[in-house]
Amino acid sequence: MNDIPPLISEINSKFISELTSFIRVRGLSYSTEKTYIHWIKRFIHYSGYQSRQDITSTDISRFLEHLVISKNVSPNTQKTALNALVFLCRELLKQNTEKLTFKRAKKGPKIPEVFSHQEAVKIIELVPSPFKLAVQLMYGSGLRINETLRLRITDIDLHTSSITIRNGKGNRDRKTLLPRSLHAPLRQQFKAVNILHDQDLSNGFGDVYMPYALAKKYPTQAKGYGWQYLFPASRLSIDPRSEKTMRHHLTDRAVQKQVMKAIKNANILKRAGCHTFRHSFATRLLENGTDLRNIQELLGHADIKTTQIYTHVAGLHHSGVISPLDK
């Protein structure tokens, strides 16, 4: 259950506890919380601070240059660290961060690796159930792996053939399309989840983790079928917050392991993984003439520039340029 936020009272450091509480009051996602705390801890360790009063925004530039010169990080990694440290100094400590000057990472953006449709289908056929359906949703709906695994039964709408992704990256909700070819496999998965849930209820269990806001709004729904995970774990586990025994979802590592094995068995030599299916989803839509704005909404990108990277992948095949060797 490593995607469940721990209680503030369980955090040993008084300062990190204060920082965590501040982040949650601001309504940032748990993934952002973990990322910010990671970089803030690295900044504190690098700078050798001994107390809260030692922390100063004037040291941010030195740390960011260290990341580039000594650690050779990418521009995105440096930007993430910058965002975390500006949040710390400007928002929490009320320090001035307007005049930061530092050496910026210069690596160019990477062109994402994508599967051809034939490669994607070949890999999917080699993935066993229930992991297969999860991979089909990543390719057919453009979901991130954790968005897929956190789906609840109630998030799937067969009537409108759509999926609701709740608290996605950036703590945003969105809708995306659901392939009609997956309706039948999803109905089978619904039945499997229902049977497992009934077994848990008969054994005195049946609760599922719900974020605090939902648990408060729907206090009796933790045992409801609609809130059960679409991809439940094979074993019960203990919620570290409530200490209740409940059934969580499959782990991302379990799915990644099956996908990497399938890629190897399919003799595909690309540097690829679960996220490659999301890249492939976007590329297929672009190749088929889908508007870039629509793709942005389906993927949940905050900035259209992030979506535009796929034009570099799909554009070459539709430019009409012919190699001189082929002439």
Side-chain angles (χ1 to χ4, degrees):
M1 290 189 171
N2 59 3
D3 59 346
I4 296 179
L7 292 171
I8 300 294
S9 58
E10 296 175 349
I11 301 173
N12 296 326
S13 167
K14 183 179 179 181
F15 176 71
I16 297 300
S17 175
E18 177 191 357
L19 173 64
T20 303
S21 179
F22 187 77
I23 290 173
R24 292 183 185 177
V25 168
R26 291 299 183 93
L28 302 182
S29 70
Y30 182 46
S31 60
T32 301
E33 174 187 317
K34 290 189 291 184
T35 300
Y36 277 16
I37 290 176
H38 165 78
W39 285 111
I40 290 169
K41 283 182 175 180
R42 285 187 61 172
F43 174 59
I44 291 172
H45 177 75
Y46 174 79
S47 302
Y49 298 137
Q50 297 299 314
S51 69
R52 186 182 194 274
Q53 287 69 34
D54 295 337
I55 301 174
T56 172
S57 62
T58 57
D59 289 337
I60 292 178
S61 297
R62 185 163 58 92
F63 176 69
L64 294 177
E65 289 189 351
H66 158 74
L67 292 180
V68 174
I69 297 170
S70 300
K71 301 300 180 181
N72 196 32
V73 300
S74 69
N76 283 340
T77 299
Q78 189 189 44
K79 184 178 178 181
T80 300
L82 171 63
N83 290 340
L85 301 183
V86 167
F87 180 86
L88 166 69
C89 294
R90 186 182 67 194
E91 303 299 326
L92 178 64
L93 303 179
K94 305 302 180 184
Q95 297 179 4
N96 189 344
T97 60
E98 294 180 0
K99 297 182 180 180
L100 294 177
T101 57
F102 54 90
K103 179 181 177 64
R104 295 184 180 272
K106 294 183 179 180
K107 290 181 180 177
K110 292 183 178 179
I111 302 298
E113 189 74 81
V114 299
F115 297 126
S116 68
H117 178 66
Q118 292 74 19
E119 288 174 334
V121 170
K122 186 177 181 180
I123 295 167
I124 289 170
E125 289 303 314
L126 293 172
V127 176
S129 295
F131 308 100
K132 178 179 179 178
L133 180 57
V135 179
Q136 287 174 312
L137 286 171
M138 284 187 274
Y139 181 49
S141 302
L143 303 183
R144 300 176 177 92
I145 182 171
N146 284 323
E147 291 174 344
T148 305
L149 299 180
R150 291 172 189 165
L151 287 173
R152 316 277 182 145
I153 297 296
T154 190
D155 296 330
I156 308 297
D157 191 336
L158 297 182
H159 178 68
T160 61
S161 206
S162 64
I163 300 174
T164 301
I165 297 92
R166 305 184 192 279
N167 301 115
K169 192 172 183 180
N171 209 23
R172 295 183 295 271
D173 292 355
R174 75 178 192 279
K175 279 188 178 291
T176 188
L177 54 88
L178 170 64
R180 294 191 177 276
S181 58
L182 294 184
H183 284 204
L186 280 167
R187 288 191 179 97
Q188 293 178 355
Q189 184 67 8
F190 292 163
K191 291 179 182 178
V193 173
N194 201 6
I195 292 171
L196 188 61
H197 183 49
D198 284 344
Q199 290 175 355
D200 287 344
L201 289 172
S202 65
N203 291 327
F205 303 112
D207 282 280
V208 69
Y209 166 75
M210 297 178 72
Y212 176 74
L214 287 177
K216 189 175 181 180
K217 187 175 182 179
Y218 307 107
T220 64
Q221 291 300 309
K223 280 186 166 67
Y225 166 68
W227 292 100
Q228 299 301 306
Y229 286 111
L230 180 62
F231 298 104
S234 58
R235 298 179 182 179
L236 295 169
S237 54
I238 298 176
D239 181 347
R241 295 175 64 109
S242 65
E243 297 187 349
K244 286 184 177 180
T245 299
M246 56 181 61
R247 193 176 296 278
H248 206 49
H249 56 68
L250 291 174
T251 66
D252 52 0
R253 289 184 180 181
V255 180
Q256 288 164 347
K257 182 179 179 180
Q258 294 295 334
V259 168
M260 296 308 295
K261 183 179 178 180
I263 291 173
K264 181 179 179 181
N265 291 338
N267 294 317
I268 293 172
L269 304 179
K270 295 178 177 179
R271 296 181 61 184
C274 289
H275 207 67
T276 311
F277 288 102
R278 176 173 159 89
H279 292 322
S280 303
F281 165 83
T283 305
R284 292 294 97 74
L285 293 187
L286 199 57
E287 289 173 343
N288 292 331
T290 306
D291 180 77
L292 205 59
R293 287 287 182 184
N294 289 333
I295 298 175
Q296 178 191 5
E297 291 181 7
L298 294 173
L299 293 176
H301 287 160
D303 192 337
I304 190 68
K305 291 180 181 178
T306 307
T307 318
Q308 286 173 338
I309 191 68
Y310 297 108
T311 61
H312 297 286
V313 182
L316 184 63
H317 305 291
H318 294 271
S319 63
V321 177
I322 300 175
S323 168
L325 189 61
D326 289 336
K327 287 187 175 183

